[in-house]
Amino acid sequence: MNTLANIPPLSTFGTPAAQAGPGGANSVITGTLTLLATFHCISCRCKFTGDANNNATATLEYKRTADPTWLSAYTPIVDRRATTAGGLDNTAWRYEVRGSIVGLTPNTSYDVRVTFSDSNCVNGTNPVTGVIYTLNLTAPATGTTVYVDGDQGLEGDGTSGNPYKTITNAITNTVAGDTILVRDAATPYAALTISVSGTTSQFRILKADAANTPNMAAGAADNLIINGNYWEINGFTLDPSVESSVRIGADQHHIFIRSCDATNLATAVPSVFNSAFVEVGTGGNNIYIISNTIARTSTNQTADVDAIRLTDGTSHTIVTSSNTISGEFADPIGNAANSVTGSLENCDFSTNTISGWVDDGMELDGGLVNARSWGNSLTSSTSRGNFSLSHAPVLQGPYYCFRNVVISGWSEGLKQGNGADGFAFIFHNTLDITVGGSRGITEAGGTPNSEYQTYRNNIWKT
């Protein structure tokens, strides 16, 4: 069931170049449809040209491939801008119909169609259709299972009765599709750099064995560096790190970080800028950070320390879901590319529980192309937090913020603005901001102020 309200479409913006064809320059010419998926959502971008008089509209529909009936998604936006309000180049996102479909079932095939309407004429394929699977929450791995036990005297052969002693040796002696089960040991396992990959159909799995929670020690900087693709890291306790607990290298993709526990990361004084529980490197995509417990007690915030830090505008398809984050983080979820067009495309931030922060509880500023935050719970009672939810700016959009709950005795509720005219839809959120003089919604700096921000059915107590 799609959980966005059925609200009438807003006006579109920008002026396209004239195009020849039946119906003249005012007719719309349909283009290609690009689909990206997460576990519960689909992102749609459909190109077009023409429509010199700005009167074309579009609808977005979907259905399970196996079902007969099409369903309506929330009305997509139509973007014709050459530049954003702040003067940034919007060429890559110009002449597009964009929208999201939410509330979907993982690992399921969906049909998607965009239907254009124009009183002058519609040229080209109409509707424009596509098919895509939502992502699978289970990483595929059908190979051999081997074991690691750091209390072994010597390296074994990886069997349950004679396990390997080190994780490094286990990785060397396994292939794509294999699962490495790591047992708890008296001494934490050494910091690790992974430099091999699985495949799209056969991930490599590095997982705590049974109910054990093996510890991974910090190295000179990080506990774990991942320079490979198609991995799942599951169930480890990551000892207090000097910098990041998990650093994902540039252009790495398809990595699960699941059910891990990290306490008091980035303990260097002063803290090292960009440190985080998970730092996603330049160009990273399809990174899934799910059901982790992340805490920080150090207060040395001379440089930003985040729980989850997205470092580059070229990353996409990042899922941060069902994590518990507490303590002295600058931004528990932070986007370093917050003035970069196109950043955070097809990203989901959902059902996280966040308490205590220094700057913004969730800083999702940037391009926000089909980015979505929903079902998150944010609580702050310290005098250190500034804002709870931030989307300042939204450069492209659409950004969907729905069904979040914020209860704060200090920080302000929601920050928008910073010279932004991308679409944002803020529906069904509850904010209880009780400190004297605080505000439910704050406009950040920038000229002009926010445009195309739609607030519906929210409850504000300020």
Side-chain angles (χ1 to χ4, degrees):
M1 175 180 175
N2 201 290
T3 58
L4 296 183
N6 185 20
I7 296 173
L10 301 179
S11 60
T12 58
F13 45 14
T15 303
Q19 298 287 329
N26 290 332
S27 65
V28 68
I29 305 169
T30 64
T32 57
L33 175 64
T34 299
L35 301 175
L36 292 172
T38 59
F39 302 103
H40 298 287
C41 302
I42 294 172
S43 301
C44 309
R45 296 172 56 197
C46 192
K47 290 290 187 180
F48 70 94
T49 54
D51 189 35
N53 61 349
N54 268 14
N55 70 338
T57 60
T59 60
L60 175 60
E61 297 171 289
Y62 70 102
K63 69 180 184 68
R64 286 187 177 91
T65 300
D67 292 345
T69 305
W70 287 92
L71 304 172
S72 295
Y74 186 69
T75 304
I77 69 164
V78 184
D79 190 349
R80 300 178 175 90
R81 298 168 300 161
T83 59
T84 69
L88 296 176
D89 185 8
N90 195 53
T91 301
W93 317 98
R94 195 179 186 190
Y95 305 140
E96 277 191 345
V97 170
R98 293 195 297 272
S100 286
I101 305 164
V102 306
L104 305 179
T105 303
N107 195 32
T108 301
S109 177
Y110 285 90
D111 297 345
V112 177
R113 70 183 182 192
V114 176
T115 304
F116 287 83
S117 297
D118 191 323
S119 60
N120 302 105
C121 189
V122 176
N123 298 310
T125 302
N126 193 40
V128 186
T129 62
V131 181
I132 191 170
Y133 264 84
T134 48
L135 300 180
N136 192 343
L137 282 162
T138 302
T142 60
T144 301
T145 297
V146 301
Y147 297 83
V148 174
D149 188 337
D151 290 336
Q152 283 283 100
L154 299 171
E155 290 284 2
D157 59 11
T159 59
S160 179
N162 189 26
Y164 296 120
K165 180 177 176 62
T166 62
I167 297 173
T168 299
N169 195 40
I171 292 174
T172 299
N173 288 285
T174 53
V175 297
D178 288 349
T179 296
I180 301 169
L181 294 182
V182 182
R183 295 171 179 165
D184 194 14
T187 301
Y189 291 90
L192 180 66
T193 297
I194 292 174
S195 301
V196 296
S197 296
T199 68
T200 184
S201 61
Q202 295 290 338
F203 275 55
R204 290 173 175 263
I205 311 294
L206 181 62
K207 184 178 181 181
D209 184 16
N212 295 327
T213 54
N215 287 53
M216 186 175 294
D222 313 303
N223 300 69
L224 174 62
I225 299 173
I226 302 177
N227 291 324
N229 308 314
Y230 303 107
W231 273 93
E232 177 174 319
I233 310 299
N234 190 324
F236 283 83
T237 295
L238 299 158
D239 283 356
S241 61
V242 177
E243 295 184 27
S244 294
S245 301
V246 180
R247 187 183 300 271
I248 297 174
D251 300 318
Q252 305 308 316
H253 55 86
H254 292 89
I255 298 169
F256 285 87
I257 308 296
R258 197 198 304 262
S259 301
C260 291
D261 189 323
T263 302
N264 209 28
L265 53 134
T267 56
V269 179
S271 303
V272 177
F273 192 81
N274 284 357
S275 296
F277 165 63
V278 176
E279 178 189 341
V280 179
T282 300
N285 68 80
N286 286 271
I287 310 298
Y288 320 124
I289 306 165
I290 301 173
S291 299
N292 301 282
T293 301
I294 312 155
R296 191 167 194 268
T297 56
S298 294
T299 59
N300 48 310
Q301 283 288 355
T302 55
D304 285 354
V305 176
D306 297 343
I308 297 161
R309 186 174 183 85
L310 312 177
T311 62
D312 181 73
T314 60
S315 295
H316 66 82
T317 314
I318 311 296
V319 176
T320 299
S321 177
S322 301
N323 300 286
T324 300
I325 306 172
S326 61
E328 295 284 312
F329 292 103
D331 302 313
I333 298 175
N335 176 30
N338 58 17
S339 296
V340 177
T341 60
S343 58
L344 296 189
E345 181 177 7
N346 190 47
C347 291
D348 285 341
F349 307 91
S350 65
T351 61
N352 299 288
T353 300
I354 300 172
S355 60
W357 55 85
V358 177
D359 188 13
D360 299 332
M362 293 174 61
E363 184 183 86
L364 306 183
D365 313 341
L368 293 169
V369 178
N370 281 314
R372 301 159 292 254
S373 63
W374 81 89
N376 299 287
S377 174
L378 295 93
T379 305
S380 177
S381 59
T382 72
S383 61
R384 292 174 64 82
N386 289 329
F387 303 96
S388 300
L389 295 169
S390 177
H391 61 271
V394 178
L395 298 172
Q396 277 84 35
Y399 167 57
Y400 304 91
C401 176
F402 58 100
R403 302 195 186 281
N404 300 289
V405 175
V406 175
I407 301 175
S408 177
W410 182 264
S411 69
E412 303 187 28
L414 190 147
K415 180 173 67 173
Q416 64 177 34
N418 208 21
D421 62 348
F423 275 123
F425 301 99
I426 296 87
F427 300 156
H428 313 310
N429 300 284
T430 301
L431 284 82
D432 182 350
I433 313 296
T434 58
V435 68
S438 69
R439 293 162 288 187
I441 304 172
T442 295
E443 182 75 26
T447 303
N449 291 326
S450 295
E451 301 178 26
Y452 302 103
Q453 307 275 311
T454 303
Y455 290 77
R456 298 287 172 87
N457 200 42
N458 300 286
I459 300 172
W460 290 169
K461 180 183 177 184
T462 70

